[in-house]
Amino acid sequence: MRICVFCGSKPGNDEAYADAARAMGHALAESGIELVYGGGHVGLMGITADAVLAAGGRAIGVIPQALVDRELAHRSLSELHIVGSMHERKRLMADLADGFVALPGGAGTLEEICEQWTWGQLGIHAKPCGFLDVGGYYAPVREMVANMIAAGFLAPEHGAMLAFETEPAAIIARFRAYVAPPRKWLAPAERVRP
């Protein structure tokens, strides 16, 4: 199994974020799960990859050439895929991974996990998505998901696709037990008739 971790290219202002990244990396390696991530050596990205490698696991990075040119690539990974664009990066990470976890991060982290969640709703893939909620960092996202459901923009089963957990082991357990709901838009032949 491979899990893609989206997270900050900065460490954040609280050591709890770095601790969570280390814990996620160790949990992946100890569970025999390979890390797929954005290929950088900076911020929570680098901390997660270093933790996986230190625990004897495999870390697979995917990074655009433009970021390699800025010397942001992690040079000690098990595999490093260099691609031409951010779109290629996200697509390859999606293809390589069996699930997606967001650790604390900024706009890019949120965009990446939301894209994978959307793809899951549309049936482009049937892979789990979740948030490692460090110190309530993702509580506003959870509230927004509830808001979307209450306002009629999101089906409850698609909101329930997201795992919000505070411990890496809990995320891993949820991912191993994940069963995808029916996709958002079914073809006429797939619809159940009364």
Side-chain angles (χ1 to χ4, degrees), residues 55-190:
R58 287 183 45 81
I60 302 165
V62 183
I63 191 167
Q65 182 65 54
L67 296 181
V68 173
D69 293 345
R70 294 177 193 157
E71 300 183 356
L72 297 174
H74 196 304
R75 296 298 186 177
S76 301
L77 300 175
S78 310
E79 294 177 33
L80 180 64
H81 300 268
I82 300 173
V83 296
S85 70
M86 291 294 283
H87 291 291
E88 290 176 67
R89 177 198 219 180
K90 292 191 300 178
R91 186 64 205 201
L92 183 54
M93 287 193 298
D95 289 344
L96 290 172
D98 300 304
F100 308 91
V101 175
L103 274 63
T109 300
L110 195 57
E111 182 266 334
E112 289 168 326
I113 192 67
C114 285
E115 180 175 61
Q116 294 309 320
W117 177 37
T118 301
W119 287 7
Q121 291 176 58
L122 295 173
I124 294 170
H125 66 65
K127 302 172 184 180
C129 296
F131 294 86
L132 187 63
D133 190 14
V134 182
Y137 185 81
Y138 281 117
V141 173
R142 195 172 200 169
E143 289 174 27
M144 189 65 218
V145 170
N147 234 8
M148 291 174 186
I149 294 168
F153 290 106
L154 180 67
E157 62 268 24
H158 293 138
M161 292 169 73
L162 295 174
F164 288 87
E165 298 291 348
T166 59
E167 296 295 328
I171 286 265
I172 291 169
R174 291 274 301 271
F175 278 24
R176 286 195 164 137
Y178 181 74
V179 176
R183 66 179 176 265
K184 186 173 180 178
W185 301 107
L186 298 176
E190 296 173 305

